[in-house]
């Protein structure tokens, strides 16, 4: 199967080594090494992305924009096929794309130092800033309502009604906690309906593995552009807080290990706001910490929904995997709530300018 796809790029699989690559939950990724070059091959998850061609069109439009207005920016473009010239291959209802592997670049799976958090936050902030004049309405919504918290909360209520009855009973405590935090949904609805947050080109998946670094650990650019869509800063800032603040990942089942590292928050704020503060309104900056609450809460809800719906979306490697992931995220949220005042004061007093 992969041989047929590689052939469309003029790559003979007899000359290539193809190895599984990365840790994403949704798409499948391989590294392809031939005699002269290295590539990344990806199979887009067709269950999640109902129209993968839309992803390619978005990436093409962004590539054109960067070419025209920011030619110095490293933008990793999919390789065009020899057969159709498109930046993707459709094969048996699945969509594949091949990307050049940027020489002397690396990615990280964990955020081990505040410097890495700073570099990544700077890259995500820079991406949105450089695209400030890009017409957001020209982008396809590759996943409709992806970060719509109102809808995610409704899906949770639905799963509580219609999901696996045994799992619902066992999840009572978790459900109660999530329902007790419904104020986060209300706040999100207020900020968005009153247009207090601006729609911008937003990445929507700001985990550390979606940043390319050079060999010295300096950020080069952001990658994995499937979910680049119009959105709010809370998605990108919030997902960095969700995935950079704790040394333990969302997979950790030992809750004692879920702690918040203050310096990593300061690094995210300095990196992101260093790029974005002049673009953002005072209200947005004042809600910087809300971003973390919003994203962690939403991810807890999404994992619990999947547990109640028998793991159809994320899959599970063991019984109760998504339940544990939801508990992990709730723990992280509780830890963040303890730091809310400290972190808000840091941002509001503009201390991020000093670090
Ligand atoms: C998914 O595939 P991956 O790991 O990059 C998910 C994100 C979640 C994340 C949780 C399209 O991202 O929204 O935050 O898992 N992407 C999609 O690990 O649902
Ligand atoms: Mg991804």
């Amino acid at each position: 199967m992969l041989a047929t796809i590689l052939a469309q790029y003029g790559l003979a699989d007899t000359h290539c080594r193809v190895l599984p690559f990365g840790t994403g939950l949704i798409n499948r990724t391989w590294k392809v090494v031939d005699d002269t070059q290295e590539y990344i091959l990806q199979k887009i998850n067709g269950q999640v992305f109902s129209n993968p061609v839309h992803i390619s069109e978005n990436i093409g439009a962004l590539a054109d924009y960067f070419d025209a207005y920011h030619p110095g920016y490293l933008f990793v473009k999919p390789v065009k096929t020899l057969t159709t010239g498109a930046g993707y291959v459709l094969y048996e209802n699945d969509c594949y794309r091949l990307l050049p592997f940027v020489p002397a670049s690396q990615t990280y799976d964990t955020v081990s130092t505040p410097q890495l958090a700073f570099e990544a936050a700077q890259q995500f902030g820079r991406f949105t800033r450089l695209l400030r004049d890009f017409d957001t309405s020209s982008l396809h919504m590759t996943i409709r309502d992806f970060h719509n918290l109102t809808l995610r909360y409704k899906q949770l209520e639905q799963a509580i009604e219609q999901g696996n009855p045994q799992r619902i009973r066992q999840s009572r405590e978790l459900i109660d906690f999530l329902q007790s935090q419904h104020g986060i949904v209300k706040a999100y609805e207020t900020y968005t309906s009153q247009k207090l947050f601006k729609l911008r080109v937003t990445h929507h998946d700001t985990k550390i593995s979606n940043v390319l670094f050079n060999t010295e650990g300096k950020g080069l650019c952001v990658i994995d552009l499937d979910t680049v869509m119009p959105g709010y800063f809370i998605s990108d800032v919030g997902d960095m807080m969700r995935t950079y603040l704790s040394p333990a990942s969302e997979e950790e089942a030992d809750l004692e290990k879920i702690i918040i590292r203050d310096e990593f928050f300061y690094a995210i704020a300095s990196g992101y706001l260093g790029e974005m503060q002049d673009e953002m309104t005072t209200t947005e900056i004042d809600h910087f910490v809300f971003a973390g609450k919003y994203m962690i809460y939403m991810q807890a809800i999404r994992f619990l929904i999947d547990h109640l719906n028998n793991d159809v979306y994320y899959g599970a490697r063991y019984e109760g995997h998504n339940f544990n992931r939801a508990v992990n995220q709730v723990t992280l949220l509780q830890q963040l709530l303890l730091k809310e005042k400290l972190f808000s004061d840091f941002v509001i007093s503009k201390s991020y300018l000093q670090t």
Side-chain angles (χ1 to χ4, degrees):
M1 175 252 319
L2 294 181
T4 317
I5 290 147
L6 290 173
Q8 304 222 27
Y9 294 96
L11 295 169
D13 80 317
T14 44
H15 285 261
C16 293
R17 278 188 297 133
V18 182
L19 308 159
F21 189 82
T23 51
L25 297 180
I26 301 297
N27 295 331
R28 287 189 63 189
T29 306
W30 298 268
K31 187 166 183 181
V32 178
V33 184
D34 84 348
D35 301 335
T36 53
Q37 269 213 4
E38 299 182 319
Y39 303 90
I40 291 292
L41 178 67
Q42 284 192 305
K43 178 182 178 187
I44 314 297
N45 184 325
Q47 302 281 303
V48 172
F49 297 99
S50 53
N51 194 341
V53 173
H54 278 174
I55 298 176
S56 287
E57 288 177 2
N58 281 355
I59 294 177
L62 295 172
D64 291 347
Y65 187 89
F66 277 110
D67 276 347
Y69 299 103
H70 305 290
Y73 182 80
L74 176 64
F75 188 86
V76 187
K77 286 181 223 171
V79 182
K80 297 201 160 113
T81 67
L82 299 181
T83 38
T84 64
Y88 58 88
V89 172
L90 291 175
Y91 180 77
E92 291 183 344
N93 289 326
D94 287 316
C95 186
Y96 295 79
R97 65 170 167 235
L98 188 75
L99 300 146
F101 191 93
V102 176
S105 73
Q106 57 173 333
T107 53
Y108 295 87
D109 284 329
T110 51
V111 190
S112 51
T113 64
Q115 283 71 34
L116 273 190
F118 175 87
E119 290 289 327
Q122 183 176 59
Q123 285 305 321
F124 286 112
R126 185 168 299 167
F127 181 73
T128 294
R129 179 175 63 76
L130 293 177
L131 292 164
R132 56 172 295 186
D133 295 325
F134 183 93
D135 174 15
T136 51
S137 68
S138 72
L139 288 174
H140 298 289
M141 285 289 187
T142 55
I143 304 179
R144 201 150 289 285
D145 289 316
F146 187 39
H147 283 182
N148 180 342
L149 184 57
T150 305
L151 182 86
R152 296 297 183 188
Y153 194 83
K154 282 208 188 94
Q155 290 171 337
L156 174 64
E157 287 180 318
Q158 206 171 18
I160 297 168
E161 302 254 309
Q162 294 161 15
N164 178 325
Q166 194 195 358
R167 289 185 171 193
I168 295 169
R169 272 196 307 278
Q170 290 164 343
S171 305
R172 199 63 256 174
E173 217 185 307
L174 199 52
I175 292 170
D176 287 346
F177 177 79
L178 290 172
Q179 288 179 331
S180 78
Q181 296 298 313
H182 184 254
I184 300 175
V185 184
K186 284 271 161 244
Y188 163 81
E189 287 169 353
T190 305
Y191 305 146
T192 53
S193 68
Q194 295 184 3
K195 301 209 178 355
L196 297 175
F197 296 161
K198 195 176 165 225
L199 272 180
R200 300 186 178 85
V201 181
T202 306
H203 186 283
H204 289 106
D205 190 8
T206 55
K207 62 170 66 98
I208 196 72
S209 57
N210 285 338
V211 180
L212 211 56
F213 292 86
N214 73 10
T215 48
E216 272 98 57
K218 285 272 166 217
L220 292 173
C221 64
V222 306
I223 53 174
D224 191 354
L225 307 180
D226 304 331
T227 52
V228 172
M229 295 180 270
Y232 305 109
F233 84 94
I234 48 173
S235 286
D236 283 1
V237 167
D239 213 38
M240 287 192 277
M241 290 174 64
R242 186 179 82 78
T243 55
Y244 304 174
L245 291 183
S246 167
S249 81
E250 67 194 15
E251 296 297 321
E252 182 59 64
D254 180 354
L255 303 181
E256 304 261 308
K257 295 195 175 138
I258 302 169
I259 53 167
I260 301 253
R261 302 174 293 183
D262 298 0
E263 334 74 84
F264 288 68
F265 174 80
Y266 305 144
I268 295 170
S270 308
Y272 192 84
L273 291 171
E275 293 286 329
M276 282 293 289
Q277 64 166 343
D278 294 341
E279 301 296 320
M280 292 167 73
T281 63
T282 315
T283 313
E284 286 177 314
I285 295 176
D286 288 352
H287 289 83
F288 201 83
V289 181
F290 174 77
K293 294 200 299 184
Y294 157 78
M295 281 305 292
I296 298 168
Y297 180 65
M298 181 154 62
Q299 194 62 56
I301 288 178
R302 291 179 66 195
F303 282 141
L304 183 61
I305 291 170
D306 205 34
H307 177 66
L308 301 182
N309 291 341
N310 297 321
D311 313 306
V312 288
Y313 188 84
Y314 288 112
R317 284 197 302 278
Y318 61 87
E319 174 61 30
H321 193 168
N322 283 308
F323 178 83
N324 281 354
R325 287 165 164 162
V327 173
N328 168 306
Q329 295 293 288
V330 160
T331 308
L332 184 63
L333 177 58
Q334 289 165 338
Q335 295 292 321
L336 179 62
L337 292 174
L338 299 175
K339 304 263 180 171
E340 190 173 3
K341 170 120 184 33
L342 175 74
F343 290 173
S344 289
D345 287 349
F346 178 84
V347 173
I348 290 167
S349 67
K350 295 201 186 296
S351 302
Y352 57 86
L353 296 174
Q354 267 109 61
T355 47

